[in-house]
Amino acid sequence: MASLGEAGRAWAEGLPGVLAELAEQWGLTLGRALPGGSASYVVSATTRDGAPRVVKLVLADPDLADESRTLVAAEGRGYAHLFDHDVERGALLLEALGPSLDRAVLPVERKLEILARTLAEAWTVPLGTAPVLAPGEDKGSTLHQMVVDLDARHPGACDPEVLAQALAYAEARAAAHDPDACVVVHGDAHAANALRVDVPRPGAASGYVFVDPDGFRADPAYDLGVTLRDWKVTDDRPRAELERLCALLAGQAGSDEQRVWEWAFLERVSTGLYVTDFGAESMGRWFLESAARLLRTR
């Protein structure tokens, strides 16, 4: 938490007390810490009757209310069960799950099938769960503005042809925005956010469910594009291979492969600029150079 400054240090110092309060409030015995994000603390827990749970504590996250709202509305369909939450403390009491899909030794085609099936259930969250978008707040428009702003802060980081193509795709997705065709998307539906359900249950027909939703209104193809945002294509013809995966994923989800491709490319470029902006320059370079390779090869 040192990278988060004084707020991060204060939050970390207060963790033991907050965890003790939550354990008493929810009747838990806390276990070992689990891998989590850079601004969260995740710990295993057990209820008084021996049921496994996970407690997630988030550092001053204004989006936590969106996450908990999505999980409550999902009722376990495509998402981890949320048993309780405390927005004031930034805490979620969640279903205990197994390893993430990105760690599974499976063919790429099988992983994409699992992601598509899991998203199909996640997209059943009622649309009224997410706020109505004001004009210009659709994902294509907001990503267009973000790419323009970040490119201005980091001139030369992004190849001009890559930048032009990403902005053209953002404009196309913004122009095609249809509020009536939107769903409540996960927003970051990559394989590391899909965790295995150890005991089969309703709402998890694929054997996996998502965690950490952003939960906003968007074209469902946006979620599909995110799944391929950082796919490491090693084929000698990377663009043709990624186009194949886009077509495969679109077919599984009943979407349009060109829309999936455009979202995937735009996300790759915007993510490259975004991580560059917070100091992860080598990671940003990988995203942006891979986008250039995709643009120039078939």
Side-chain angles (χ1 to χ4, degrees):
M1 295 299 166
S3 63
L4 299 171
E6 184 58 37
R9 285 190 291 273
W11 182 79
E13 289 171 2
L15 263 180
V18 173
L19 286 169
E21 292 169 2
L22 289 169
E24 181 177 358
Q25 176 181 330
W26 288 335
L28 303 172
T29 299
L30 300 180
R32 63 185 178 88
L34 301 172
S38 59
S40 66
Y41 181 81
V42 184
V43 60
S44 63
T46 308
T47 64
R48 290 191 180 97
D49 60 2
R53 295 287 186 267
V54 167
V55 175
K56 175 184 174 183
L57 276 167
V58 181
L59 170 62
D61 185 356
D63 296 327
L64 183 68
D66 295 333
E67 179 178 350
S68 59
R69 184 169 59 241
T70 301
L71 293 175
V72 167
E75 298 181 326
R77 299 187 307 275
Y79 286 106
H81 271 300
L82 177 66
F83 293 101
D84 208 338
H85 62 289
D86 187 324
V87 174
E88 184 177 346
R89 289 189 175 96
L92 303 175
L93 180 62
L94 296 160
E95 171 184 15
L97 297 164
S100 59
L101 180 59
D102 68 328
R103 294 171 56 189
V105 182
L106 294 170
V108 59
E109 293 82 1
R110 175 62 179 144
K111 288 189 176 184
L112 293 180
E113 178 190 355
I114 289 170
L115 288 169
R117 292 183 67 195
T118 309
L119 281 170
E121 293 197 279
W123 291 335
T124 65
V125 170
L127 194 60
T129 301
V132 176
L133 298 175
E137 290 185 355
D138 62 276
K139 195 62 177 177
S141 296
T142 57
L143 282 177
H144 186 283
Q145 189 61 54
M146 186 179 88
V147 168
V148 169
D149 291 345
L150 291 178
D151 180 68
R153 287 212 290 269
H154 302 278
C158 185
D159 181 282
E161 289 184 49
V162 171
L163 178 67
Q165 185 63 81
L167 292 176
Y169 285 157
E171 290 167 3
R173 294 298 90 229
H177 175 66
D178 179 1
D180 294 332
C182 286
V183 299
V184 178
V185 296
H186 178 282
D188 199 19
H190 53 77
N193 273 338
L195 274 58
R196 192 183 70 207
V197 175
D198 289 329
V199 179
R201 64 165 177 80
S206 71
Y208 284 79
V209 292
F210 284 112
V211 296
D212 299 344
D214 294 329
F216 56 89
R217 297 182 184 221
D219 173 10
Y222 172 75
D223 265 345
L224 301 174
V226 169
T227 68
L228 295 171
R229 171 182 61 202
D230 56 357
W231 215 275
K232 295 175 176 63
V233 180
T234 57
D235 191 89
D236 291 337
R237 299 168 64 236
R239 176 161 180 160
E241 173 61 7
L242 193 58
E243 286 176 339
R244 181 185 75 85
L245 296 181
C246 284
L248 178 65
L249 188 57
Q252 291 169 340
S255 187
D256 175 79
E257 61 185 88
Q258 181 60 27
R259 295 212 319 265
V260 176
W261 167 266
E262 291 180 6
W263 282 123
F265 187 88
L266 175 56
E267 271 289 308
R268 191 171 289 242
V269 175
S270 60
T271 300
L273 288 168
Y274 177 75
V275 299
T276 297
D277 191 57
F278 67 67
E281 293 182 4
S282 60
M283 183 186 298
R285 191 177 307 113
W286 180 88
F287 275 104
L288 296 172
E289 289 179 354
S290 69
R293 188 166 173 239
L294 289 170
L295 190 61
R296 292 169 182 152
T297 58
R298 298 300 300 184

